[in-house]
């Protein structure tokens, strides 16, 4: 069983933590002695986050050979150009035949809620054979397998680590499973049609109802032997295979036995992981390889322990530990959201994009940060013009928020600048903002602030009312700051700010609550 798998590099809890002790001078009674600091968020109960663990130095998404380097690599690519042309032709023919066979298998099939009829499944064998030809064209002439897949009635759910776009192609050929995928995959040329034939379970990561519906579909299809087994990549994104990031719980909520599968891509010169490298470039490099190595290992089934009242998270942890042990890699607290943050920073041509990762599984556990919230905070942070190290200087922070002439701006920045470097990281900005917003008093303070601004009880706040309140509570603040603050609440510039828009503005920019809680004395 999974519990019998061990690796000497991993502790029993399945996570390696390198802790660097932070020392601080004390005042003789065991308290930290810090610079004089007036916390502008103390009113809502948000203390500065000075005792958080150090950020991880691991980048689980980095492709280690994204460039062209070395005499051997150049000679190999030149020699392989004729081979690459033949492979490209083979790839085109294979995907075309597979597409036509899939279209034929789907023709006239209306009842997509029930299992695919047997004769249609037999037609899909043509597509499955074509997928093996596609793997061959990419240089996977033979694939090493260790162990065997369990029968569908014993383990209806299969989970695997996710390294490359090659993984789902292999599993389509090997298992022809039902998969869980983003709705955007449905519109992909050729691939979208083939995915529909797998009776895909679509999910929108940004929608809680969609995620719940996906879990219900996983349970429904896993409980019926007429459907193929369900395949999930619980990491939710591709990694470089050198670590295992946190698992999403969708595969484990239904409570069925799970068979873990691990995929490896042994290499010397060319890292085949789909990290910080474009799909076109990755495919091009694969075509120019003599041979690409791939290993697939089927691990023992992991059973839910109902008698021990095991939680879903514990079930997922046991499975991830079994996979990490077999891979002999560490587990990290990163999540697929870190990959999205990394991609967003890369799209905007930021340097050292790995500095924008936060270990979102850990952060979400502390502050309940949704994917959309994390992306919104990143956009706010990137608007402050971070430097090449991903840090925002105090001056840029204050200017972006219109606080450069506000005495309160210094206090707000000091709240985030826990290391007193006159600069902050995205991690500090995200965690600080999320800490303010998660406080039980936050929403109450926001409602009270609106009521005080709406002293005429009209149900909305005019620019004059907002300015009047802020001028009385925060004397010395410039008119430019007031105008900038109004823009944060009146995003669509349609005039008065309703309670809903006011609450949404503070939810999106929680640091602004300081303007409504500050003490003029």
């Amino acid at each position: 069983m999974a519990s019998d798998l061990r690796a000497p590099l991993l502790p029993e809890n399945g996570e390696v933590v390198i802790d660097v002790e932070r020392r601080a001078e004390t005042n003789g009674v065991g308290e930290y002695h810090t610079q004089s600091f007036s916390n502008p968020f103390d009113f809502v109960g948000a203390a500065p986050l000075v005792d958080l663990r150090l950020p991880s130095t691991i980048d689980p998404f980095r492709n280690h050979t994204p460039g062209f380097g070395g005499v051997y690599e150049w000679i190999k690519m030149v020699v392989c150009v004729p081979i690459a042309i033949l492979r490209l032709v083979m790839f085109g023919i294979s995907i075309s035949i597979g597409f036509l066979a899939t279209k034929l298998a789907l023709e006239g099939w209306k009842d997509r809620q029930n299992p695919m009829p047997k004769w249609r499944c037999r037609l899909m064998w043509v597509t499955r054979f074509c997928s093996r030809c596609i793997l061959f064209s990419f240089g996977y002439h033979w694939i090493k397998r260790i162990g065997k897949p369990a029968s569908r009635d014993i383990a209806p759910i299969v989970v695997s680590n996710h390294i490359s776009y090659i993984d789902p192609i292999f599993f389509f050929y090997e298992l022809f499973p039902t998969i869980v995928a983003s709705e955007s995959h449905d519109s992909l040329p050729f691939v979208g049609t083939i995915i529909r034939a797998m009776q895909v379970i679509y999910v929108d990561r940004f929608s809680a109802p969609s995620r719940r519906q996906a879990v219900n579909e996983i349970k429904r299809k896993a409980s019926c032997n007429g459907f193929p087994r369900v395949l999930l990549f619980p990491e939710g994104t591709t990694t470089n295979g050198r670590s295992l990031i946190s698992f999403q719980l969708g595969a484990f909520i239904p409570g069925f036995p799970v068979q873990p599968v691990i995929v490896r891509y042994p290499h010397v010169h060319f890292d085949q992981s789909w990290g910080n490298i474009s799909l076109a470039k990755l495919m091009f490099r694969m075509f120019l390889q003599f041979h690409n190595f791939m290993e697939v290992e089927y691990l023992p089934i992991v059973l839910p322990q109902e008698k021990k009242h095991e939680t879903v998270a514990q079930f997922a942890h046991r499975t991830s530990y079994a996979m990490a042990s077999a891979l002999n890699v560490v587990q990290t607290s990163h999540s697929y959201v870190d990959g999205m943050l990394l991609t967003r920073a890369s799209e905007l041509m930021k340097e050292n994009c790995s500095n924008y990762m936060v270990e979102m599984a850990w952060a979400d556990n502390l502050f309940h940060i949704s994917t959309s919230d994390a992306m919104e905070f990143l956009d706010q942070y990137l608007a402050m013009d971070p430097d090449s190290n991903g840090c925002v200087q105090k001056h840029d922070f204050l200017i972006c928020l219109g606080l450069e002439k506000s005495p309160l701006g210094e206090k707000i920045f000091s709240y985030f600048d826990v290391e007193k470097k006159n600069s902050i990281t995205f991690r500090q900005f995200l965690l600080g903002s999320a800490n303010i917003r998660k406080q039980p008093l936050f929403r109450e303070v926001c409602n009270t602030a609106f009521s005080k601004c709406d002293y005429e009880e009209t149900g909305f706040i005019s620019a004059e009312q907002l300015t009047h309140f802020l001028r009385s509570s925060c004397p010395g603040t410039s008119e430019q700051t007031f105008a900038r603050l109004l823009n944060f609440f009146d995003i669509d510039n349609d005039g008065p700010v309703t309670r809903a828009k006011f609450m949404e503005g503070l939810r999106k920019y929680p640091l602004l609550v300081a303007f409504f809680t500050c003490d003029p004395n």
Side-chain angles (χ1 to χ4, degrees):
M1 299 302 292
S3 60
D4 296 327
L5 296 173
R6 295 288 185 271
L9 298 183
L10 290 172
E12 283 296 320
N13 62 10
E15 182 175 0
V16 173
V17 178
I18 300 175
D19 186 24
V20 179
E21 183 179 1
R22 291 180 174 178
R23 297 187 179 274
E25 297 180 4
T26 63
N27 60 7
V29 292
E31 296 179 354
Y32 286 108
H33 177 68
T34 63
Q35 299 177 1
S36 176
F37 169 60
S38 178
N39 180 7
F41 305 105
D42 187 60
F43 190 81
V44 296
L49 301 176
V50 296
D51 56 349
L52 293 177
R53 69 184 187 186
L54 294 174
S56 172
T57 58
I58 297 174
D59 183 349
F61 307 105
R62 180 189 171 200
N63 181 294
H64 288 266
T65 56
F68 300 90
V71 176
Y72 169 77
E73 280 293 290
W74 280 106
I75 294 175
K76 178 186 65 178
M77 286 188 288
V78 171
V79 171
C80 285
V81 166
I83 300 175
I85 295 174
L86 294 175
R87 286 175 170 175
L88 185 59
V89 172
M90 183 179 183
F91 170 79
I93 294 174
S94 298
I95 199 169
S96 298
I97 294 175
F99 173 74
L100 293 174
T102 304
K103 289 285 287 185
L104 182 60
L106 293 177
E107 185 66 27
W109 185 34
K110 304 296 183 182
D111 186 13
R112 302 294 178 88
Q113 293 300 311
N114 290 314
M116 178 181 280
K118 295 294 184 183
W119 70 270
R120 295 182 186 273
C121 291
R122 294 190 185 97
L123 278 176
M124 288 302 299
W125 267 107
V126 177
T127 309
R128 294 174 69 177
F129 176 76
C130 289
S131 68
R132 184 61 185 95
C133 294
I134 290 173
L135 291 174
F136 191 90
S137 71
F138 280 123
Y140 298 93
H141 307 125
W142 64 85
I143 298 173
K144 182 179 179 181
R145 295 171 177 79
I146 303 173
K148 294 181 179 180
S151 63
R152 192 243 182 263
D153 57 337
I154 296 177
I157 297 178
V158 175
V159 296
S160 172
N161 61 321
H162 197 8
I163 299 176
S164 173
Y165 64 90
I166 295 297
D167 310 341
I169 298 176
F170 168 81
F171 285 118
F172 173 77
Y173 164 71
E174 181 92 342
L175 302 176
F176 188 50
T178 292
I179 63 172
V180 178
S182 170
E183 294 178 351
S184 60
H185 287 71
D186 187 71
S187 59
L188 293 175
F190 298 101
V191 176
T193 300
I194 296 174
I195 286 178
R196 286 194 295 274
M198 300 170 70
Q199 298 191 268
V200 62
I201 300 171
Y202 290 116
V203 62
D204 179 359
R205 288 174 172 174
F206 293 90
S207 169
S210 176
R211 294 195 299 269
R212 288 193 294 270
Q213 177 63 26
V215 170
N216 292 334
E217 277 295 287
I218 292 171
K219 186 173 183 178
R220 184 177 76 89
K221 293 186 175 180
S223 62
C224 176
N225 283 331
F227 285 103
R229 70 193 79 204
V230 181
L231 168 69
L232 296 101
F233 298 104
E235 292 173 289
T237 187
T238 54
T239 69
N240 58 20
R242 300 187 177 205
S243 60
L244 204 64
I245 66 174
S246 64
F247 279 10
Q248 304 303 298
L249 302 181
F252 309 96
I253 293 175
F256 291 106
V258 169
Q259 181 170 33
V261 185
I262 56 175
V263 180
R264 306 181 185 91
Y265 293 90
H267 67 276
V268 176
H269 300 285
F270 170 52
D271 183 357
Q272 301 153 62
S273 65
W274 194 2
N276 55 327
I277 181 172
S278 69
L279 176 60
K281 191 173 183 178
L282 187 60
M283 293 176 65
F284 177 71
R285 292 294 302 271
M286 284 183 175
F287 281 136
L288 293 177
Q289 291 286 111
F290 290 120
H291 174 75
N292 288 310
F293 292 90
M294 180 180 184
E295 297 178 358
V296 179
E297 182 176 356
Y298 294 93
L299 301 180
I301 297 171
V302 180
L303 300 171
Q305 298 179 343
E306 297 179 357
K307 293 183 178 179
K308 295 184 178 181
H309 303 288
E310 182 181 51
T311 66
V312 173
Q314 290 170 335
F315 184 21
H317 177 75
R318 283 197 300 118
T319 306
S320 64
Y321 176 67
M323 295 172 66
S325 298
L327 287 165
N328 202 24
V329 299
V330 298
Q331 296 173 270
T332 76
S333 295
H334 296 89
S335 79
Y336 72 89
V337 182
D338 287 287
M340 296 176 69
L341 296 171
L342 190 72
T343 300
R344 177 63 174 161
S346 178
E347 290 173 350
L348 296 178
M349 307 298 291
K350 296 297 180 181
E351 301 179 64
N352 301 316
C353 295
S354 60
N355 290 328
Y356 296 94
M357 293 189 297
V358 181
E359 297 173 88
M360 279 301 301
W362 164 75
D364 181 46
N365 185 58
L366 286 179
F367 302 112
H368 309 294
I369 309 171
S370 70
T371 303
S372 57
D373 288 341
M375 300 305 291
E376 281 185 353
F377 284 133
L378 179 62
D379 287 338
Q380 294 175 30
Y381 186 81
L382 293 176
M384 300 175 189
D385 192 24
D387 60 23
S388 59
N389 293 318
C391 296
V392 167
Q393 304 301 315
K394 179 195 289 187
H395 178 70
D396 295 322
F397 176 91
L398 297 177
I399 286 180
C400 182
L401 295 174
L403 304 176
E404 67 274 15
K405 296 181 180 180
S406 167
L408 182 59
E410 294 281 341
K411 297 180 181 180
I412 293 176
F413 182 81
S414 295
Y415 173 82
F416 293 98
D417 183 21
V418 295
E419 296 180 351
K420 307 308 174 189
K421 293 182 177 180
N422 284 326
S423 66
I424 62 172
T425 65
F426 173 63
R427 188 173 188 266
Q428 291 168 340
F429 178 74
L430 174 75
L431 298 180
S433 299
N435 183 48
I436 297 167
R437 198 173 64 186
K438 84 154 193 174
Q439 299 303 319
L441 288 176
F442 179 76
R443 187 170 181 83
E444 179 182 340
V445 168
C446 294
N447 271 309
T448 302
F450 180 86
S451 298
K452 288 183 177 180
C453 293
D454 181 26
Y455 48 81
E456 296 181 356
E457 299 183 356
T458 59
F460 57 84
I461 304 173
S462 65
E464 292 76 14
Q465 288 175 314
L466 181 62
T467 302
H468 174 75
F469 175 81
L470 292 176
R471 186 179 288 115
S472 62
S473 63
C474 303
T477 303
S478 67
E479 294 298 323
Q480 293 86 347
T481 299
F482 293 143
R484 190 63 181 266
L485 286 172
L486 182 62
N487 290 332
F488 287 126
F489 297 106
D490 188 19
I491 299 175
D492 48 11
N493 295 316
D494 63 351
V497 177
T498 64
R499 182 182 293 270
K501 289 170 64 175
F502 183 84
M503 297 293 287
E504 177 61 21
L506 289 178
R507 190 201 67 81
K508 188 174 181 180
Y509 300 94
L511 59 85
L512 298 181
V513 77
F515 279 88
F516 301 93
T517 60
C518 60
D519 184 356
N521 299 320

